[in-house]
Amino acid sequence: MLRVNNPNIDAAQDRWYHLGFGPSVGVKAMFEDVKFVCMGGKDKRMEDYAKYLHQVLHEPANSVYEEGTKDLRNLSASAGRYCMYKVGSALSVSHGMGMPSFQILLNELFKLLAYAECEDVSFIRLGTSGGLGIEPGTTVVSKQGYSSMLKPYFTQVVCGKETNYDSMCDESLRSQLLACGKRLGTKIVAGNTMSCNGFYEEQGRLDGAMCTFTPEEKMAFLRKAHDECGIVNIEMETNMFAAMCNRFRVKSASICVTILDRMNGDAAGITEAEYKRRERQPLEVVAELIKSSST
């Protein structure tokens, strides 16, 4: 069973401000069967994913709907920060952009699911990324999250002090996702992921409003990340996400499609239709995992 390791919290009086609700008998009953938490950056992506999963799983009865309808209910609509849908034993939740927004969400999801006395829950981030030295359109299942300083751990600052936490993703969950991807015919690999606190300069992009480095410095940094650290994609969340899940003792996986190869430029140069096709790949792989786990 999930447990919150914080003696300062009275679970019965707690409130999850950014989710928009708090503990109650109804909340516990609603969430106690959750086994998968699927998270991505965009509200629209995770709303669409919830609807897709609802179809794939044949409209499971333990989904949460708007009253009197078969329309999935956004359980966090009142807070206005994230969206959250319950489809069978899975949650589809948006986490916003970057590690700070995602870390707030994880804190409140951990407290919610611990209150609901959930067991054996898998947390999965799915999204898009920039590739490093791999073919665009390849889906990456992360082994470990690296920082933008190329460190294989997440550094948490608390009360003016730094603590480093292991950022390795769960091996068994990664293996299951790789198997699901191969079963679907998806081009899928495992590799390390670098997470940055920004989209432009910190990722070595030359096309931001400001740039304090040369193209040569950019390429030296990207090659070092790839060649010395085994990093095959870049995004903005996995380093913190894996570390938080390890601290809370839950399984984590990060699965992101690569939109471009950053070794060859900073812009994808693909059509909107191709972008949407690639964006859908991780969603299909995770849906295959959930479907196979429920049969």
Side-chain angles (χ1 to χ4, degrees), residues 95-125:
H95 60 60
M97 192 181 298
M99 289 182 266
S101 171
F102 197 0
Q103 191 172 42
I104 293 168
L105 174 69
L106 285 171
N107 269 282
E108 297 189 9
L109 283 176
F110 289 162
K111 293 196 292 181
L112 162 61
L113 298 181
Y115 174 77
E117 298 183 346
C118 294
E119 297 181 315
D120 192 29
V121 183
S122 297
F123 286 73
I124 305 174
R125 159 166 155 69

Short mmCIF file of all heavy atoms in Angstrom, two decimals, residues 95-125:
data_model
loop_
_atom_site.label_atom_id
_atom_site.label_comp_id
_atom_site.label_asym_id
_atom_site.label_seq_id
_atom_site.Cartn_x
_atom_site.Cartn_y
_atom_site.Cartn_z
N HIS A 95 0.50 17.38 -16.69
CA HIS A 95 1.42 17.84 -15.65
C HIS A 95 2.02 19.22 -15.92
O HIS A 95 2.84 19.71 -15.15
CB HIS A 95 2.54 16.82 -15.42
CG HIS A 95 3.39 16.52 -16.62
ND1 HIS A 95 4.14 17.47 -17.28
CD2 HIS A 95 3.65 15.34 -17.25
CE1 HIS A 95 4.81 16.90 -18.27
NE2 HIS A 95 4.53 15.61 -18.29
N GLY A 96 1.59 19.87 -17.01
CA GLY A 96 2.16 21.17 -17.32
C GLY A 96 3.55 21.03 -17.93
O GLY A 96 3.99 19.93 -18.29
N MET A 97 4.25 22.15 -18.04
CA MET A 97 5.54 22.18 -18.72
C MET A 97 6.67 22.35 -17.72
O MET A 97 6.72 23.31 -16.97
CB MET A 97 5.57 23.34 -19.73
CG MET A 97 6.75 23.28 -20.69
SD MET A 97 6.78 24.68 -21.84
CE MET A 97 5.25 24.41 -22.73
N GLY A 98 7.58 21.38 -17.67
CA GLY A 98 8.76 21.49 -16.83
C GLY A 98 8.62 20.83 -15.47
O GLY A 98 7.54 20.43 -15.04
N MET A 99 9.76 20.74 -14.78
CA MET A 99 9.83 20.00 -13.52
C MET A 99 9.08 20.67 -12.36
O MET A 99 8.44 19.95 -11.57
CB MET A 99 11.30 19.75 -13.16
CG MET A 99 11.95 18.73 -14.07
SD MET A 99 13.68 18.33 -13.70
CE MET A 99 14.54 19.46 -14.79
N PRO A 100 9.11 21.99 -12.18
CA PRO A 100 8.38 22.57 -11.04
C PRO A 100 6.88 22.26 -11.07
O PRO A 100 6.30 21.84 -10.05
CB PRO A 100 8.66 24.06 -11.18
CG PRO A 100 9.98 24.14 -11.89
CD PRO A 100 9.93 23.01 -12.87
N SER A 101 6.24 22.45 -12.22
CA SER A 101 4.81 22.16 -12.34
C SER A 101 4.53 20.68 -12.08
O SER A 101 3.59 20.32 -11.35
CB SER A 101 4.33 22.54 -13.75
OG SER A 101 3.00 22.10 -13.96
N PHE A 102 5.37 19.82 -12.64
CA PHE A 102 5.19 18.38 -12.51
C PHE A 102 5.40 17.93 -11.06
O PHE A 102 4.69 17.06 -10.55
CB PHE A 102 6.17 17.68 -13.45
CG PHE A 102 5.86 16.23 -13.76
CD1 PHE A 102 4.76 15.58 -13.22
CD2 PHE A 102 6.69 15.52 -14.61
CE1 PHE A 102 4.50 14.25 -13.53
CE2 PHE A 102 6.44 14.19 -14.93
CZ PHE A 102 5.34 13.56 -14.38
N GLN A 103 6.35 18.52 -10.38
CA GLN A 103 6.63 18.12 -9.00
C GLN A 103 5.47 18.46 -8.06
O GLN A 103 5.15 17.70 -7.15
CB GLN A 103 7.93 18.76 -8.51
CG GLN A 103 8.43 18.17 -7.19
CD GLN A 103 9.80 18.68 -6.82
OE1 GLN A 103 10.10 19.86 -6.95
NE2 GLN A 103 10.65 17.78 -6.36
N ILE A 104 4.83 19.58 -8.30
CA ILE A 104 3.64 19.93 -7.52
C ILE A 104 2.56 18.87 -7.72
O ILE A 104 1.96 18.37 -6.76
CB ILE A 104 3.11 21.32 -7.93
CG1 ILE A 104 4.10 22.42 -7.54
CG2 ILE A 104 1.73 21.59 -7.30
CD1 ILE A 104 3.80 23.76 -8.16
N LEU A 105 2.33 18.50 -8.98
CA LEU A 105 1.33 17.48 -9.28
C LEU A 105 1.66 16.15 -8.60
O LEU A 105 0.79 15.52 -7.99
CB LEU A 105 1.25 17.26 -10.79
CG LEU A 105 0.34 16.11 -11.24
CD1 LEU A 105 -1.12 16.42 -10.96
CD2 LEU A 105 0.56 15.77 -12.70
N LEU A 106 2.92 15.72 -8.69
CA LEU A 106 3.30 14.43 -8.10
C LEU A 106 3.07 14.41 -6.59
O LEU A 106 2.57 13.41 -6.05
CB LEU A 106 4.76 14.12 -8.41
CG LEU A 106 5.06 13.68 -9.85
CD1 LEU A 106 6.56 13.61 -10.08
CD2 LEU A 106 4.41 12.34 -10.16
N ASN A 107 3.43 15.48 -5.90
CA ASN A 107 3.19 15.54 -4.46
C ASN A 107 1.72 15.28 -4.14
O ASN A 107 1.39 14.50 -3.24
CB ASN A 107 3.60 16.91 -3.91
CG ASN A 107 5.03 16.95 -3.44
OD1 ASN A 107 5.36 16.47 -2.36
ND2 ASN A 107 5.91 17.49 -4.26
N GLU A 108 0.82 15.91 -4.89
CA GLU A 108 -0.60 15.79 -4.58
C GLU A 108 -1.18 14.47 -5.07
O GLU A 108 -2.06 13.89 -4.41
CB GLU A 108 -1.35 17.00 -5.13
CG GLU A 108 -0.86 18.28 -4.46
CD GLU A 108 -1.67 19.52 -4.76
OE1 GLU A 108 -2.76 19.41 -5.37
OE2 GLU A 108 -1.21 20.62 -4.38
N LEU A 109 -0.67 13.94 -6.18
CA LEU A 109 -1.10 12.60 -6.60
C LEU A 109 -0.65 11.54 -5.61
O LEU A 109 -1.41 10.61 -5.29
CB LEU A 109 -0.55 12.28 -7.99
CG LEU A 109 -1.23 12.93 -9.18
CD1 LEU A 109 -0.48 12.59 -10.47
CD2 LEU A 109 -2.69 12.49 -9.30
N PHE A 110 0.57 11.64 -5.13
CA PHE A 110 1.06 10.68 -4.13
C PHE A 110 0.17 10.71 -2.89
O PHE A 110 -0.21 9.66 -2.34
CB PHE A 110 2.50 11.00 -3.73
CG PHE A 110 3.54 10.73 -4.80
CD1 PHE A 110 4.79 11.32 -4.71
CD2 PHE A 110 3.28 9.89 -5.86
CE1 PHE A 110 5.76 11.07 -5.67
CE2 PHE A 110 4.25 9.64 -6.83
CZ PHE A 110 5.49 10.23 -6.72
N LYS A 111 -0.16 11.90 -2.42
CA LYS A 111 -1.00 12.01 -1.22
C LYS A 111 -2.41 11.47 -1.48
O LYS A 111 -2.98 10.76 -0.64
CB LYS A 111 -1.06 13.46 -0.75
CG LYS A 111 0.27 13.98 -0.23
CD LYS A 111 0.13 15.26 0.59
CE LYS A 111 -0.29 16.44 -0.25
NZ LYS A 111 -0.40 17.67 0.59
N LEU A 112 -2.96 11.78 -2.65
CA LEU A 112 -4.29 11.29 -3.01
C LEU A 112 -4.32 9.76 -3.04
O LEU A 112 -5.21 9.14 -2.43
CB LEU A 112 -4.67 11.84 -4.39
CG LEU A 112 -5.81 11.14 -5.15
CD1 LEU A 112 -7.11 11.21 -4.37
CD2 LEU A 112 -5.97 11.74 -6.54
N LEU A 113 -3.37 9.15 -3.72
CA LEU A 113 -3.41 7.70 -3.89
C LEU A 113 -3.03 6.96 -2.61
O LEU A 113 -3.49 5.83 -2.38
CB LEU A 113 -2.52 7.28 -5.05
CG LEU A 113 -2.95 7.85 -6.42
CD1 LEU A 113 -2.04 7.37 -7.53
CD2 LEU A 113 -4.40 7.50 -6.74
N ALA A 114 -2.22 7.58 -1.77
CA ALA A 114 -1.95 7.00 -0.46
C ALA A 114 -3.21 7.05 0.41
O ALA A 114 -3.53 6.08 1.12
CB ALA A 114 -0.81 7.74 0.23
N TYR A 115 -3.93 8.17 0.36
CA TYR A 115 -5.18 8.28 1.11
C TYR A 115 -6.18 7.22 0.65
O TYR A 115 -6.91 6.64 1.46
CB TYR A 115 -5.78 9.67 0.93
CG TYR A 115 -7.13 9.83 1.56
CD1 TYR A 115 -7.26 9.99 2.94
CD2 TYR A 115 -8.30 9.79 0.78
CE1 TYR A 115 -8.52 10.10 3.53
CE2 TYR A 115 -9.55 9.90 1.36
CZ TYR A 115 -9.65 10.06 2.74
OH TYR A 115 -10.90 10.16 3.32
N ALA A 116 -6.19 6.94 -0.67
CA ALA A 116 -7.11 5.95 -1.22
C ALA A 116 -6.64 4.51 -0.98
O ALA A 116 -7.32 3.57 -1.37
CB ALA A 116 -7.29 6.18 -2.72
N GLU A 117 -5.46 4.36 -0.34
CA GLU A 117 -4.88 3.06 -0.01
C GLU A 117 -4.66 2.20 -1.26
O GLU A 117 -4.92 0.99 -1.28
CB GLU A 117 -5.76 2.32 1.01
CG GLU A 117 -5.88 3.06 2.33
CD GLU A 117 -6.69 2.31 3.38
OE1 GLU A 117 -7.38 1.34 3.01
OE2 GLU A 117 -6.61 2.69 4.57
N CYS A 118 -4.14 2.84 -2.32
CA CYS A 118 -3.84 2.13 -3.55
C CYS A 118 -2.60 1.25 -3.38
O CYS A 118 -1.75 1.52 -2.54
CB CYS A 118 -3.60 3.12 -4.69
SG CYS A 118 -5.07 4.07 -5.13
N GLU A 119 -2.52 0.21 -4.20
CA GLU A 119 -1.39 -0.71 -4.16
C GLU A 119 -0.87 -0.95 -5.57
O GLU A 119 -1.64 -0.94 -6.54
CB GLU A 119 -1.80 -2.05 -3.55
CG GLU A 119 -2.24 -1.95 -2.10
CD GLU A 119 -2.63 -3.29 -1.51
OE1 GLU A 119 -3.36 -4.05 -2.20
OE2 GLU A 119 -2.20 -3.60 -0.39
N ASP A 120 0.46 -1.17 -5.68
CA ASP A 120 1.08 -1.57 -6.93
C ASP A 120 0.69 -0.64 -8.08
O ASP A 120 0.17 -1.07 -9.12
CB ASP A 120 0.72 -3.02 -7.28
CG ASP A 120 1.57 -3.58 -8.41
OD1 ASP A 120 2.72 -3.13 -8.55
OD2 ASP A 120 1.07 -4.45 -9.15
N VAL A 121 0.97 0.64 -7.92
CA VAL A 121 0.64 1.65 -8.93
C VAL A 121 1.88 1.96 -9.78
O VAL A 121 2.97 2.13 -9.24
CB VAL A 121 0.11 2.94 -8.28
CG1 VAL A 121 -0.30 3.95 -9.35
CG2 VAL A 121 -1.07 2.64 -7.35
N SER A 122 1.69 2.03 -11.09
CA SER A 122 2.76 2.41 -12.01
C SER A 122 2.52 3.83 -12.52
O SER A 122 1.42 4.15 -12.97
CB SER A 122 2.82 1.45 -13.20
OG SER A 122 3.13 0.14 -12.79
N PHE A 123 3.56 4.67 -12.42
CA PHE A 123 3.48 6.05 -12.90
C PHE A 123 4.25 6.15 -14.22
O PHE A 123 5.43 5.78 -14.28
CB PHE A 123 4.09 7.00 -11.87
CG PHE A 123 3.24 7.21 -10.66
CD1 PHE A 123 3.10 6.23 -9.69
CD2 PHE A 123 2.56 8.41 -10.47
CE1 PHE A 123 2.30 6.42 -8.57
CE2 PHE A 123 1.76 8.62 -9.36
CZ PHE A 123 1.64 7.62 -8.41
N ILE A 124 3.59 6.67 -15.25
CA ILE A 124 4.19 6.71 -16.58
C ILE A 124 4.05 8.11 -17.17
O ILE A 124 2.93 8.64 -17.27
CB ILE A 124 3.54 5.69 -17.53
CG1 ILE A 124 3.60 4.28 -16.93
CG2 ILE A 124 4.22 5.72 -18.90
CD1 ILE A 124 2.84 3.23 -17.74
N ARG A 125 5.19 8.71 -17.52
CA ARG A 125 5.17 9.97 -18.26
C ARG A 125 5.26 9.65 -19.74
O ARG A 125 6.07 8.83 -20.18
CB ARG A 125 6.35 10.87 -17.87
CG ARG A 125 6.64 11.92 -18.94
CD ARG A 125 7.54 13.04 -18.52
NE ARG A 125 8.23 13.62 -19.67
CZ ARG A 125 7.65 14.35 -20.63
NH1 ARG A 125 6.34 14.57 -20.60
NH2 ARG A 125 8.36 14.83 -21.64
#
